Amino acid sequence: MSAPAEPVLEVDGLVKHYPLTRGVLFKKQIGAVKAVDGVDFTLGRGETLGIVGESGCGKSTVAKLLCNLERPTAGAIRYKGEDITKLSGRALKAVRRNIQMVFQDPYTSLNPRMTVGDIIGEPYEIHPEAAPKGDRRRRVQELLDVVGLNPEYVNRYPHQFSGGQRQRIGIARGLALRPEVIVADEPVSALDVSVQAQVINLLDRLQSEFELSYVFIAHDLSIVRHISDRVGVMYLGRIVEIGRDAEIYDHPTHPYTQALLSAVPVPDPEAREHRERIILSGDVPSPTDIPSGCRFRTRCWKARERCALEVPQLAVPAEFRLATGPAAHDSACLFAEEKQVVPVDGAGPEAP
């Protein structure tokens, strides 16, 4: 699949392993939690890339790595061609102005002892060149107005706002330095459904107004489809399928993606009765003991002996390489093009 014309972020072979140690005085590494284990993707200018997957697959770790809140074990994150994983000091501080984060929980991501004005204006204290000192209060009030809050709330504290309003404050803080990229780590998962729609519509509007690029991380597939241009599906530390939103949702080729989409609630009772429901057998393997070969093989109904020996690469399946249709997108499955009966009762063939 072709990359976006103007890449803002390029992620290549991103790895983050957390060592497991034993002992108190003389610590010895006995293993590692492979939270992120070889992630590749490109984010284009003005694009929204959605990243989905179940809890523990490494989505939030990817978000922290992109914002340099964590240092990767290996791999590269290139912002406009420059590998930011190798930067430090002033060079890293300059890049951080352009890559900001909106956190998941609006109740814990705002300092309860700071006023809204101080919270939104704090980036100007860290990057004083971004706004003259005498102009900061006005800019904070403008940001409150941009995200749909009363500018007069500047002296209030976080506990005086609802969850949706707090998330708007977090978004305003992320916009303060006029970044090019915003990494949104499940920004609506802690909110009521009606408030989720308001925040998603706000993010849509801000993207057009400020020419933003989003990495939007979530586990709600319907929200991701609404806001994303492309979607990447993560499983156990890796992206197993990536493509345009219509390609992923209407023509998934990886068994894990097919299982995820089959679990999405369908409001139409008649459509729900005729939908094929895929129920996976087994549990997600531990990130400390990842299966050989394909990491999804222990739960996959297509699994064969070859799956235990070969690591599938993220590429267009062989059957679709010369095609231009919606199935011609990247998938990390050795048998993605095969049509097989799915395990509707969870009873698939025993994995090798």
Side-chain angles (χ1 to χ4, degrees):
M1 185 179 63
S2 61
E6 291 184 81
V8 180
L9 276 182
E10 296 171 280
V11 176
D12 183 19
L14 193 62
V15 174
K16 181 61 179 178
H17 293 176
Y18 296 96
L20 293 175
T21 59
R22 178 182 294 164
V24 179
L25 294 177
F26 303 99
K27 291 186 177 181
K28 178 181 179 182
Q29 183 171 341
I30 58 173
V33 176
K34 299 176 181 179
V36 176
D37 200 30
V39 166
D40 304 274
F41 64 80
T42 301
L43 178 69
R45 186 180 301 279
E47 180 188 39
T48 298
L49 173 66
I51 299 181
V52 300
E54 56 197 313
S55 297
C57 71
K59 305 187 300 296
S60 292
T61 304
V62 168
K64 293 174 184 176
L65 292 170
L66 293 178
C67 295
N68 251 284
L69 299 179
E70 297 267 8
R71 288 285 190 174
T73 305
I77 302 170
R78 298 184 185 89
Y79 170 70
K80 294 184 174 180
E82 183 176 29
D83 188 358
I84 64 175
T85 65
K86 302 190 183 312
L87 300 180
S88 60
R90 290 183 180 179
L92 178 58
K93 183 179 178 182
V95 168
R96 278 180 167 158
R97 280 192 57 177
N98 295 303
I99 305 175
Q100 291 290 303
M101 189 167 181
V102 175
F103 294 91
Q104 176 178 1
D105 190 351
Y107 292 92
T108 60
S109 61
L110 304 179
N111 190 331
R113 293 184 174 87
M114 294 174 67
T115 66
V116 166
D118 290 337
I119 290 170
I120 299 175
E122 188 174 23
Y124 299 135
E125 299 293 333
I126 300 169
H127 300 270
E129 72 282 0
K133 198 161 189 178
D135 195 38
R136 292 175 189 175
R137 182 180 176 86
R138 180 187 63 80
R139 291 204 182 190
V140 168
Q141 290 179 315
E142 285 180 353
L143 287 167
L144 283 170
D145 184 55
V146 163
V147 299
L149 293 176
N150 190 331
E152 300 303 318
Y153 291 169
V154 70
N155 292 319
R156 294 191 179 186
Y157 288 86
H159 73 270
Q160 296 175 284
F161 295 89
S162 67
Q165 289 174 323
R166 292 187 196 195
Q167 196 59 289
R168 289 172 186 265
I169 294 166
I171 294 170
R173 177 177 59 186
L175 290 173
L177 299 174
R178 296 293 192 267
E180 291 189 67
V181 178
I182 285 188
V183 180
D185 183 16
E186 303 211 34
V188 296
S189 63
L191 307 177
D192 294 336
V193 174
S194 60
V195 180
Q196 287 182 1
Q198 295 172 16
V199 173
I200 291 298
N201 290 335
L202 171 64
L203 290 171
D204 260 340
R205 177 173 63 81
L206 294 174
Q207 184 171 37
S208 301
E209 187 174 339
F210 293 95
E211 298 181 346
L212 298 166
S213 301
Y214 289 147
V215 176
F216 189 90
I217 295 170
H219 61 267
D220 190 320
L221 295 167
S222 59
I223 289 176
V224 170
R225 182 169 198 176
H226 177 77
I227 196 173
S228 300
D229 300 303
R230 288 189 303 137
V231 178
V233 182
M234 281 194 72
Y235 182 79
L236 211 59
R238 281 192 178 174
I239 291 180
V240 296
E241 187 166 3
I242 189 168
R244 307 293 298 181
D245 58 347
E247 295 169 350
I248 298 296
Y249 283 86
D250 298 336
H251 300 275
T253 59
H254 195 282
Y256 177 64
T257 309
Q258 294 167 357
L260 275 184
L261 292 174
S262 78
V264 175
V266 176
D268 184 354
E270 292 188 7
R272 187 164 58 241
E273 286 181 6
H274 294 91
R275 185 179 65 165
E276 195 171 46
R277 176 77 165 88
I278 302 174
I279 302 176
L280 297 176
S281 58
D283 298 320
V284 182
S286 168
T288 63
D289 186 22
I290 293 176
S292 63
C294 175
R295 55 194 61 205
F296 184 63
R297 66 179 176 82
T298 58
R299 306 174 72 195
C300 183
W301 63 93
K302 292 183 179 181
R304 302 179 188 173
E305 185 177 350
R306 181 184 169 193
C307 297
L309 304 175
E310 296 182 35
V311 178
Q313 300 302 310
L314 198 61
V316 177
E319 183 179 333
F320 308 120
R321 280 175 193 162
L322 299 179
T324 57
H329 62 272
D330 292 346
S331 180
C333 178
L334 298 173
F335 304 104
E337 66 274 14
E338 290 194 2
K339 308 295 187 294
Q340 290 188 1
V341 178
V342 299
V344 294
D345 59 354
E350 189 172 337

